[in-house]
């Protein structure tokens, strides 16, 4: 079968030892108790008490003589915060799946990230077994089966005695019993447990789609929580950017750099996209409940309940239609929040661009000031260069000839300095050589400036041609 083949692909393999805590829940109902019509019994399941809990009878009597009927039996499996693998949880899980005959449903539920499915109906001893799976990887997965017992003959004394006892208690004979296993993350366990412990009508608890309704409510609350958290952060960003029209907005500005806030808003946009996926999944759950109710459980109407519980009595169809209307409103809220996120993202992007422009202008001004200083220093260096050029040839010639141009002479008891013949030769060589060097330097500077101007004109022509080609295209 196809679901057996698909069950070989386990997307939850990394969470093999995630479920280390097993809580057994039983929902009981009576019409003769003055303290209430329902109660939930909770018990921690381990290897030593698991078998006894699974085989508990569906009916019992309390100390006051009230008769109680079990409407639902389920196990919540979650982690206890310990990362180390243990053998006992794996043994409990194997025993649960073996006793409930839900191993194939478990394998199939672990094979897809999100979805709800009804597996083919099976028959065991004349009973009809309807099996269902729901998964939202990696935080929630449900397996449950609804067993419809075989039809008994009207003259069967056991059937007559059971029906008479239920009629005496003001109850109708249930169409079957349901057993479910819920795999949930520890962070989601508290919210899910609160939902299950609420006072539900007998009709809803005994309905085969009760677990699907509970999971939809759980996902619905998660969506509301995400929306509320994102709206709180958006108000802070709006107070920071000032891009809003809410006169009553009273919120402290968001701390941090605009780029950091922009990254946060991008994360919120991704989160809202994931919320859209959750809402589409919820829509699929509601459609699935409608389909299964119409196909297999048409006519499943509320029981005859009186008193305080009567106001809670509403059939599954009414509940789902109510949640569908709420889901439509959540779609509108999600779109509105996403639009606010996008507005703030665009605002912060432009504000960041403006800051970058201001920083660029400041950097340009600083660069210009640095260029002026460099130009002044360059002019000073030119003067020093000219001075060096002026005196360098003479020093060169003097060193070259290594001869004295002046010499002492004695005349009339006086010492004087007279020019030697090489003095004229010195100037004859030095002046032309200095002029020649000046000419060479001027020619080199002229050639360099001309080459630079050619390069600038070439670059300008390329930019002009590129702009013209873009306008033409």
């Amino acid at each position: 079968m196809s679901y057996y083949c698909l069950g070989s692909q386990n997307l939850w393999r990394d969470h093999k030892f995630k479920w280390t805590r097993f809580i057994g829940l039983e929902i009981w109902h009576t019409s003769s108790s003055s303290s209430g019509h329902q109660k939930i019994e909770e018990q921690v399941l381990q290897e030593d008490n698991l078998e006894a809990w699974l085989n508990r009878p569906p009916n019992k009597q309390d100390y006051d003589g009230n008769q109680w009927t079990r409407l639902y039996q389920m196990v919540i499996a979650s982690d206890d915060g310990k990362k180390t693998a243990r053998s006992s949880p794996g043994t409990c899980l194997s025993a649960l799946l073996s006793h409930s005959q839900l191993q194939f449903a478990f394998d199939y539920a672990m094979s897809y990230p999100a979805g709800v499915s009804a597996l083919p109906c099976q028959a065991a001893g004349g009973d009809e077994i309807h099996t269902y799976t729901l998964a939202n990887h990696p935080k929630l997965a449900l397996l449950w089966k609804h067993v419809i017992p075989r039809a008994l003959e009207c003259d069967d004394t056991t059937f007559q005695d059971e029906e008479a006892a239920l009629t005496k208690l003001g109850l109708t004979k249930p169409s079957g019993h349901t057993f479910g296993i819920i795999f949930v993350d520890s962070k989601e366990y508290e919210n899910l447990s609160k939902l299950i412990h609420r006072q539900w009508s007998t009709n809803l608890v005994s309905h085969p789609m009760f677990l699907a309704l509970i999971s939809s409510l759980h996902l619905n609350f998660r969506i509301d929580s995400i929306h509320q958290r994102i709206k709180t952060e958006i108000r802070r960003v709006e107070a920071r950017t000032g891009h809003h029209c809410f006169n009553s907005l009273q919120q402290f500005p968001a701390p941090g750099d605009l780029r950091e806030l922009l990254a946060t808003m991008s994360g919120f946009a991704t989160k809202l996209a994931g919320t859209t996926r959750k809402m589409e999944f919820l829509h699929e759950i509601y459609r699935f409940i409608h389909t299964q109710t119409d196909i297999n459980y048409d006519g499943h109407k509320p029981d005859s309940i009186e008193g305080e519980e009567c106001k809670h009595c509403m059939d599954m169809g009414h509940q789902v239609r109510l949640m569908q209307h709420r889901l439509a409103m959540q779609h509108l809220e999600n779109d509105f929040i996403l639009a606010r996120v996008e507005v703030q993202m665009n605002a912060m992007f432009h504000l960041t661009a403006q800051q970058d422009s201001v920083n660029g202008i400041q950097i340009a001004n600083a660069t210009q000031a640095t260029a002026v200083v460099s130009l002044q220093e360059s002019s000073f260096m030119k003067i020093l260069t000219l001075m060096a050029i002026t005196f360098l040839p003479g020093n060169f010639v003097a060193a070259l000839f290594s001869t004295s141009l002046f010499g002492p002479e004695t005349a009339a008891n006086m010492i004087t300095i007279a020019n030697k013949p090489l003095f004229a030769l010195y100037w004859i060589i030095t002046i032309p050589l200095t002029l020649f060097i000046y000419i060479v330097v001027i020619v080199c500077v002229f050639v360099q400036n001309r080459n630079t101007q050619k390069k600038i004109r070439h670059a300008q022509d390329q930019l002009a041609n590129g702009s013209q080609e873009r306008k033409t295209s």
Side-chain angles (χ1 to χ4, degrees), residues 113-363:
V116 54
S117 304
L119 300 182
C121 179
Q122 295 180 325
D127 298 340
E128 292 184 11
I129 302 177
H130 298 267
T131 306
Y132 309 95
T133 62
L134 186 149
N136 185 26
H137 182 273
K139 295 184 177 181
L140 181 66
L142 288 84
L143 324 169
W144 75 97
K145 66 175 183 179
H146 183 71
V147 181
I148 301 178
R150 62 185 178 87
L152 300 176
E153 300 295 335
C154 293
D155 57 352
D156 193 318
T157 57
T158 304
F159 173 80
Q160 293 176 354
D161 293 342
E162 183 179 359
E163 186 175 24
L166 292 173
T167 303
K168 184 178 179 181
L169 294 174
L171 300 174
T172 58
K173 181 175 176 57
S175 59
H177 59 275
T178 307
F179 178 86
I181 306 176
I182 304 174
F183 302 94
V184 64
D185 188 87
S186 60
K187 298 179 181 178
E188 313 291 332
Y189 171 79
E190 183 177 356
N191 180 43
L192 189 65
S193 179
K194 288 180 179 179
L195 283 173
I196 297 175
H197 281 78
R198 290 183 178 273
Q199 190 72 19
W200 298 97
S201 67
T202 305
N203 174 66
L204 288 177
V205 175
S206 60
H207 197 281
M209 295 291 107
F210 176 67
L211 275 185
L213 178 64
I214 289 293
S215 63
S216 68
L217 289 171
H218 173 67
L219 293 174
N220 197 285
F221 289 164
R222 284 176 56 188
I223 292 174
D224 288 338
S225 176
I226 293 173
H227 283 172
Q228 188 62 33
R229 181 169 63 89
I230 293 178
K231 284 193 295 185
T232 301
E233 294 297 328
I234 289 178
R235 294 190 190 101
R236 301 175 65 189
V237 174
E238 289 172 342
R240 172 71 178 274
T241 62
H243 285 66
H244 64 85
C245 60
F246 303 109
N247 295 327
S248 60
L249 182 62
Q250 300 293 333
Q251 189 76 30
F252 291 105
D257 184 70
L258 284 179
R259 289 179 175 82
E260 180 182 352
L261 295 179
L262 182 59
T264 302
M265 289 293 104
S266 300
F268 285 157
T270 304
K271 194 72 173 178
L272 289 172
T275 305
T276 303
R277 175 176 173 267
K278 289 184 178 66
M279 289 189 288
E280 293 298 328
F281 181 41
L282 275 176
H283 178 74
E284 180 63 23
I285 293 177
Y286 297 144
R287 187 200 63 80
F288 176 80
I289 294 175
H290 274 307
T291 301
Q292 295 301 317
T293 301
D294 294 340
I295 293 176
N296 299 318
Y297 310 103
D298 191 20
H300 191 89
K301 302 300 181 182
D303 300 332
S304 300
I305 303 175
E306 298 179 355
E308 181 68 19
E309 191 181 3
C310 182
K311 64 180 181 181
H312 301 292
C313 183
M314 189 181 292
D315 65 4
M316 184 64 67
H318 288 147
Q319 290 279 4
V320 173
R321 283 189 290 272
L322 174 64
M323 297 306 299
Q324 284 177 325
H325 176 72
R326 179 183 175 88
L327 181 61
M329 297 301 101
Q330 284 180 322
H331 265 293
L332 294 177
E333 182 72 7
N334 193 78
D335 293 340
F336 173 64
I337 296 174
L338 181 58
R340 291 176 65 181
V341 170
E342 291 176 348
V343 167
Q344 295 307 311
M345 289 176 61
N346 293 332
M348 286 187 290
F349 177 78
H350 291 299
L351 290 174
T352 303
Q354 291 178 3
Q355 290 181 353
D356 292 340
S357 299
V358 172
N359 294 334
I361 293 173
Q362 293 176 351
I363 293 174

Side-chain angles (χ1 to χ4, degrees), residues 426-445:
Y426 169 78
W427 289 111
I428 292 173
I429 296 174
T430 300
I431 293 174
L433 181 60
T434 302
L435 293 176
F436 175 76
I437 293 175
Y438 268 109
I439 293 172
V440 171
V441 171
I442 291 173
V443 170
C444 292
V445 171

Side-chain angles (χ1 to χ4, degrees), residues 404 406-410 414-418 420:
S404 299
F406 302 96
E409 292 183 0
T410 303
M414 296 179 62
I415 300 176
T416 60
I417 298 176
K420 291 188 176 183

